[in-house]
Amino acid sequence: MPSNPKTLVATTSDPRCQELFFDWLSKQKLLSSHVRIAVSGCVKDREAIMKSIRQAKKSYGIQQVILINALGDKAYSERKFANQDLEKDAHRNDLKNTAAAIKAESPNIQVELFLIDKKHKFEAIPLQ
């Protein structure tokens, strides 16, 4: 890994998604040039993500953060969603709220959001 990666990628720690993340990072040409953190539910624990972002910014001067949530993540199971649309809305809201927190603290950091559906397709989530 380069000594000074500029991208932090935060993902769920769900073991069902790890190979998918590896493949995606490879396709994005980020495999050897990023800092990656994996947290149960990814942005569900916003403060854990924010602590890691602060540290990566201090240590590496990161300029970009990519947040990736996944439908079906067991960390969200206690919410007992009535249907998949409600689950998607919850993930999208959590991703956008975390992006807003990042931008409020570090306005110069570029943020990208993704949600993985149950067929393992990546959906880009707009910040607005």
Side-chain angles (χ1 to χ4, degrees), residues 15 20 22-23 34 37 40 44 51 65 71 73 94 105 107:
L20 182 66
F22 180 86
D23 292 343
H34 74 286
I37 57 169
S40 181
K44 185 172 184 277
K51 284 180 184 179
V65 172
L71 292 179
D73 192 316
D94 287 354
E105 195 171 299

Side-chain angles (χ1 to χ4, degrees), residues 42-92:
C42 189
V43 299
K44 185 172 184 277
D45 185 352
R46 185 173 305 134
E47 192 49 41
I49 295 292
M50 294 301 291
K51 284 180 184 179
S52 294
I53 291 169
R54 288 180 199 113
Q55 184 59 45
K57 184 178 173 189
K58 180 180 173 184
S59 297
Y60 304 110
I62 61 162
Q63 299 169 354
Q64 179 182 34
V65 172
I66 299 172
L67 304 173
I68 307 173
N69 265 30
L71 292 179
D73 192 316
K74 294 188 186 299
Y76 279 81
S77 64
E78 78 277 354
R79 292 195 188 176
K80 299 183 186 343
F81 299 108
N83 59 53
Q84 189 169 331
D85 288 336
L86 292 174
E87 182 182 3
K88 282 182 180 180
D89 287 344
H91 281 281
R92 288 179 185 133

